[in-house]
């Protein structure tokens, strides 16, 4: 344990980053207008590791918003050109909710037919997580038994926890431990540091509301209340913009399209993020649409994550990051809808 | 197979959409290898007689003269494409629809008596059957390419039917409604523009007309919650696409 855990004083973070930048592409949250945005760091650029949430989760480094799967050219036969993949990337400052979401992604993009594009990036990605000490009123990771403001041995290569003037850094893999091998840069972890970490996480835990009680009974609870009035009420407010799914760390749906050039012999096959909230998502040949009603679409997202996901993937499809509520312009919050069904007083 | 004959027409509009044809630039010669331009006044002085295979019609119809011409164009073309916001929804030309015509005409022209115009301007499908729509003010060049190429190879073109918000989020923009309480119509407006306005910090004015299954009443509630005066919300809905049922519904919900 000792060998794989070190202390990095905040005054030395810049030096550590510069060393990382020599070897890797480093992406980290930087301040945007209102929130934060995972951005590739240029030399000298300062990341912000003390943040609440980014609009788009780090999933974009594994499953980009838009990606060319291959380009093709008609010659005598057909030539296809696969895209080149990026070099080794350190994604720095991943919150536990987003790191857990990547574990869920691993299941979704794994299985019998692994997605080669995803796995190529995944194997090239080093996840440096950071315990979350900045939760806000939309966070509800504590609802899930395996979630909360830090990670336990799984889902990261290196885990940072902010202790005020220093970070404690714990390696979760060989690749992670390679990031903390620079002699002279790090200090030894003391008992006082371990105690400070425990205290910081206890405080963070107290700041996260649970919001969804009885997770085990949730699929049955949702099935029982499929026709509850609250869904129609929320659907009336919904503009079907798709922000809840685009910002969700576990949403993975994409649309595929061939874009051809004017010479009619070259083109690209592209996949682009799609959203079940959009009307055309469930439309098939001849205009049939499985989820024509807004209410059906609104419910689908919630029911898929919390009721159907366990059967499909063996886990829940939510990590309580709170983005769907936070980025909804119409103030729709599924945890509040469920509280309303339970007849609880509604917190704003 | 002979190359399809293309005609590009212009009625009440600024010519910015047909300019997008010419803006294809690097691929223009490739395109000319597969189509034949028979009539396109902005691009060439060559004019060939109809019939044409595909007619791209830019502009709204605002006067009897244009109505005659657009009906003739329909007869002359096998396929008619409405090119851009004016042809699709009427665009800003429809602003006059909500005012007294004499007042509107005399504000612009020193001799209003010479002007023979309709009380209302409309998109071309008010007068003729339209086979395809390319939305936007101006049309998006990639969508223009997607439509033409898809027609040439016999594939259904991918023209985003859903809200601008999808592309806005893909571009990682913070929501202008949430961060600035902007009067942004992105959630009721058809995408395909790569959210060009909101990505550059400007709210969506709805130039591409309504997306499928838009919920304008819900958006009006959001604007009301944010404290916008009703007449301003209404004006925003009537600005570019007020001549569509969806945007009119939005304007009518401002009570």
């Amino acid at each position: 344990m000792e060998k794989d855990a070190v202390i990095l004083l905040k005054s030395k973070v810049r030096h550590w980053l510069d060393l990382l930048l020599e070897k890797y592409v480093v992406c980290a949250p930087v301040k945007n207008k209102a929130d934060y945005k995972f951005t590739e760091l240029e030399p000298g650029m300062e990341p912000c590791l003390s943040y609440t949430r980014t609009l788009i989760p780090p999933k974009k480094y594994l499953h980009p918003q838009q990606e060319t799967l291959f380009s093709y050219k008609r010659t005598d036969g057909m030539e296809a050109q696969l895209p080149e993949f990026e070099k080794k990337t350190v994604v720095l400052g991943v919150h536990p909710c987003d790191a857990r979401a990547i574990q869920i992604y691993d299941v979704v993009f794994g299985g019998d037919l692994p997605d080669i594009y995803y796995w190529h990036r995944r194997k090239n990605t080093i996840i440096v997580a950071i315990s979350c000490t900045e939760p806000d009123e939309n966070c509800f990771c504590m609802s899930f038994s395996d979630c909360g403001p830090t990670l336990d041995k799984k889902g990261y290569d290196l885990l940072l926890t902010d202790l005020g003037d220093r970070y404690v850094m714990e390696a979760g893999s060989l690749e992670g431990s390679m990031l903390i091998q620079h002699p002279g840069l790090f200090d030894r972890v003391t008992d006082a540091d371990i105690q400070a970490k425990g205290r910081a996480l206890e405080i963070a835990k107290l700041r996260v509301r649970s919001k969804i009680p009885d997770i085990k009974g949730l699929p049955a609870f949702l099935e029982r209340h499929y026709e509850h009035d609250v869904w129609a009420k929320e659907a009336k407010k919904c503009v079907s913009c798709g922000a809840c799914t685009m910002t969700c760390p576990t949403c993975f749906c994409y649309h595929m399209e061939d874009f051809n050039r004017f010479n009619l012999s070259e083109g690209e096959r592209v996949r682009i993020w799609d959203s079940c909230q959009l009307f055309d998502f469930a439309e098939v040949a001849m205009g049939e649409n499985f989820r024509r009603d807004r209410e059906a679409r609104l419910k689908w997202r919630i029911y898929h994550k919390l009721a159907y996901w366990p059967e499909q993937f063996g886990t829940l499809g939510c990590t309580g990051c709170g983005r769907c509520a936070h980025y909804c312009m119409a103030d729709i919050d599924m945890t509040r809808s469920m509280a309303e069904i339970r007849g609880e007083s509604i917190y704003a | 197979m002979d190359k399809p004959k293309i005609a590009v027409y212009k009625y009440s509009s600024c010519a910015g959409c047909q300019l997008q044809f010419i803006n294809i630039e690097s691929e223009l010669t490739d395109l000319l290898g597969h189509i034949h331009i028979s009539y396109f006044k902005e691009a060439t002085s060559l004019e060939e007689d109809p019939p044409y295979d595909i007619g791209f019609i830019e502009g709204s119809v605002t006067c009897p003269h244009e109505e005659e011409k657009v009906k003739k164009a329909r007869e002359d073309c096998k396929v008619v494409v409405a090119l851009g916001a004016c042809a699709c929804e009427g665009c800003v030309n429809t602003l006059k629809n909500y005012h007294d015509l004499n007042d509107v005409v005399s504000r612009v022209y020193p001799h209003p008596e010479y002007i023979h115009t309709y009380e209302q301007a409309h998109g071309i499908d008010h007068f003729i059957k339209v086979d395809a729509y390319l939305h936007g003010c101006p049309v998006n060049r990639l969508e223009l390419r997607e439509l033409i190429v898809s027609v040439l190879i016999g594939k259904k073109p991918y023209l985003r039917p859903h809200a601008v918000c999808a592309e806005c989020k893909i571009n990682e923009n913070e929501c202008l409604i949430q961060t600035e309480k902007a009067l942004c119509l992105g959630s009721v407006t058809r995408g395909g523009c790569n959210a060009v306005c909101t990505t550059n910090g400007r709210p969506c004015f709805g130039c591409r007309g309504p997306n499928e299954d838009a919920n304008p009443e819900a958006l009006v509630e959001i604007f009301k919650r944010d404290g916008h005066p009703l007449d301003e919300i209404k004006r925003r809905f009537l600005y570019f696409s007020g001549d569509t049922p969806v945007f009119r519904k939005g304007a009518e919900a401002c009570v």
Side-chain angles (χ1 to χ4, degrees):
Chain A
M1 172 74 191
E2 261 181 13
K3 241 166 69 185
D4 290 332
V6 294
I7 289 289
L8 179 67
L9 292 173
K10 282 189 178 172
S11 55
K12 295 182 179 171
V13 167
R14 185 68 253 171
H15 187 189
W16 182 60
L17 282 176
D18 289 339
L19 289 170
L20 291 184
L21 282 165
E22 282 174 14
K23 265 181 90 176
Y24 307 101
V25 171
V26 180
C27 303
V30 297
K31 186 83 185 90
N32 205 354
K33 276 183 294 178
D35 283 319
Y36 300 87
K37 181 179 175 179
F38 271 97
T39 309
E40 186 181 329
L41 295 184
E42 312 269 342
M45 210 163 145
E46 291 300 325
C48 183
L49 296 179
S50 176
Y51 72 105
T52 303
R53 63 171 66 77
T54 57
L55 174 75
I56 299 291
K59 70 172 181 180
K60 67 178 182 180
Y61 294 119
L62 303 169
H63 175 40
Q65 288 94 321
Q66 178 164 330
E67 109 181 280
T68 299
L69 300 183
F70 55 84
S71 51
Y72 46 86
K73 185 174 186 176
R74 198 171 61 188
T75 49
D76 286 341
M78 198 71 138
E79 258 176 43
Q81 178 78 46
L82 284 162
E84 283 181 29
F85 287 104
E86 298 83 352
K87 66 177 202 177
K88 206 124 203 156
T89 299
V90 171
V91 184
L92 171 67
V94 177
H95 275 168
C97 49
D98 290 341
R100 281 188 196 93
I102 290 171
Q103 290 179 274
I104 293 173
Y105 251 27
D106 286 351
V107 178
V108 171
F109 286 103
D112 297 336
L113 286 170
D115 185 296
I116 55 163
Y117 299 91
Y118 176 84
W119 283 103
H120 196 96
R121 291 207 168 81
R122 182 73 174 88
K123 285 176 182 154
N124 264 334
T125 303
I126 299 171
I127 294 169
V128 178
I130 183 160
S131 302
C132 177
T133 49
E134 303 279 330
D136 74 359
E137 71 283 359
N138 285 314
C139 297
F140 58 102
C141 59
M142 291 298 289
S143 301
F144 307 102
S145 58
D146 58 345
C147 296
T150 193
L151 292 158
D152 186 22
K153 289 281 166 217
K154 260 192 347 203
Y156 59 87
D157 296 294
L158 189 66
L159 173 70
L160 276 58
T161 304
D162 189 335
L163 304 180
D165 67 338
R166 62 190 63 203
Y167 293 107
V168 56
M169 298 178 148
E170 297 156 88
S173 72
L174 187 64
E175 276 197 308
S177 67
M178 297 297 284
L179 304 179
I180 50 173
Q181 298 301 327
H182 305 283
L185 186 59
F186 303 103
D187 294 305
R188 276 176 64 96
V189 182
T190 64
D191 287 347
D193 293 324
I194 297 294
Q195 280 164 15
K197 179 186 166 186
R199 272 198 308 276
L201 294 177
E202 280 311 312
I203 292 167
K205 275 182 193 170
L206 291 172
R207 288 176 59 195
V208 184
R209 267 186 282 210
S210 165
K211 295 202 178 186
I212 309 178
D214 185 24
I215 283 290
K216 277 211 178 98
L218 195 59
F221 168 83
L222 286 169
E223 292 288 6
R224 267 201 313 283
H225 296 289
Y226 192 78
E227 301 294 341
H228 197 281
D229 294 345
V230 71
W231 303 123
K233 198 182 82 182
E234 295 300 271
K236 210 173 161 212
K237 285 156 61 182
C238 176
V239 291
S240 303
C241 67
C244 48
T245 60
M246 297 292 182
T247 63
C248 174
T250 68
C251 272
F252 54 81
C253 288
Y254 55 83
H255 173 83
M256 267 210 277
E257 199 64 43
D258 286 352
F259 290 110
N260 299 291
R261 295 187 181 277
F262 273 123
N263 61 20
L264 305 188
S265 60
E266 281 176 84
E268 293 175 334
R269 176 159 298 177
V270 172
R271 70 174 170 191
I272 313 164
W273 285 2
D274 205 344
S275 166
C276 58
Q277 300 307 299
L278 307 177
F279 182 83
D280 52 308
F281 180 83
E283 195 174 66
V284 293
M286 307 294 288
E288 177 56 35
N289 193 324
F290 299 113
R291 287 188 287 275
R292 191 169 284 282
D293 296 333
R294 201 182 309 283
E295 184 185 333
R297 301 201 294 275
L298 178 127
K299 282 195 280 195
W300 171 256
R301 177 181 73 86
I302 298 164
Y303 276 68
H304 187 207
K305 304 275 173 200
L306 299 174
Y308 312 147
W309 207 290
E311 204 180 318
Q312 194 181 0
F313 298 118
T315 70
L316 280 170
C318 177
T319 63
C321 76
R323 285 186 180 89
C324 53
H326 188 78
Y327 294 110
C328 179
M329 68 170 95
D331 300 327
I332 295 168
D333 176 349
M334 65 174 179
T335 64
R336 205 167 54 204
S337 304
M338 285 185 267
E340 204 171 324
I341 293 174
R342 290 193 303 270
E344 289 168 16
S345 62
I346 317 255
Y347 33 78
Chain B
M1 194 184 87
D2 287 340
K3 290 195 260 183
K5 292 170 129 187
I6 305 287
V8 181
Y9 301 87
K10 177 189 183 298
Y11 304 123
S12 289
S13 57
C14 74
C17 287
Q18 42 180 316
L19 193 62
Q20 291 290 66
F21 263 98
I22 299 162
N23 281 344
I24 291 167
E25 287 174 356
S26 58
E27 286 191 85
L28 197 58
T29 49
D30 284 340
L31 172 64
L32 291 173
H34 298 283
I35 61 164
H36 177 78
I37 292 179
S38 294
Y39 175 81
F40 186 178
K41 280 197 165 170
E42 187 165 276
T44 168
S45 50
L46 170 115
E47 270 184 43
E48 291 172 355
D49 291 335
Y52 311 122
D53 293 301
I54 308 174
F56 289 89
I57 300 183
E58 184 198 82
S60 66
V61 172
T62 60
C63 60
H65 175 61
E66 286 178 337
E67 182 178 347
E68 264 169 49
K69 282 181 34 173
V70 79
K71 285 179 171 163
K72 173 77 168 55
R74 176 70 263 189
E75 284 171 19
D76 289 345
C77 300
K78 278 191 212 152
V79 174
V80 164
V81 181
L83 183 71
C86 293
C88 291
E89 294 94 17
C91 199
V92 287
N93 302 325
T94 62
L95 282 172
K96 73 170 181 179
N97 298 6
Y98 323 108
H99 299 277
D100 176 64
L101 184 64
N102 288 327
D103 180 40
V104 170
V105 173
S106 40
R107 268 204 225 180
V108 179
Y109 300 99
H111 289 285
E113 64 275 17
Y114 296 147
I115 303 299
H116 303 286
T117 184
Y118 287 139
E119 297 258 334
Q120 301 216 325
H122 297 292
I124 59 172
D125 66 2
H126 198 80
F127 304 91
I128 60 166
K129 180 177 167 283
V130 172
D131 302 300
Y133 297 83
L134 273 176
H135 296 271
C137 180
V139 292
N140 176 290
R141 235 182 307 162
L142 291 177
E143 280 206 333
L144 178 63
R145 177 173 87 177
E146 174 65 8
L147 181 84
I148 295 172
V149 170
S150 298
V151 168
L152 290 173
I153 66 176
K155 153 187 182 285
K156 187 184 170 196
Y158 177 61
L159 305 172
R160 283 180 180 269
H162 48 251
V164 171
C165 298
E167 287 157 287
C168 191
K169 280 290 153 295
I170 280 175
N171 291 350
E172 294 197 49
N173 299 322
E174 291 172 0
C175 179
L176 290 171
I177 289 181
Q178 289 193 305
T179 55
E180 297 174 17
K181 291 193 188 337
L183 272 172
C184 180
L185 296 180
S187 61
V188 294
T189 302
R190 174 183 284 263
C193 51
N194 196 22
V196 60
C197 294
T198 53
T199 302
N200 287 288
R202 304 244 324 182
C204 172
F205 283 7
C207 79
R208 299 175 63 83
N211 62 304
E212 54 180 15
D213 198 39
N215 192 353
E217 290 98 335
L219 183 59
V220 169
E221 288 307 313
I222 290 167
F223 288 154
K224 284 197 217 166
R225 174 201 69 194
D226 289 346
H228 294 287
L230 289 175
D231 59 329
E232 267 184 41
I233 305 173
K234 189 173 171 182
R235 259 209 307 273
R236 182 55 55 94
F237 271 100
L238 295 179
Y239 198 174
F240 274 76
S241 300
D243 200 34
T244 61
V246 169
F247 278 55
R248 209 172 308 129
K249 233 194 239 176
E252 283 162 8
C254 298
V255 283

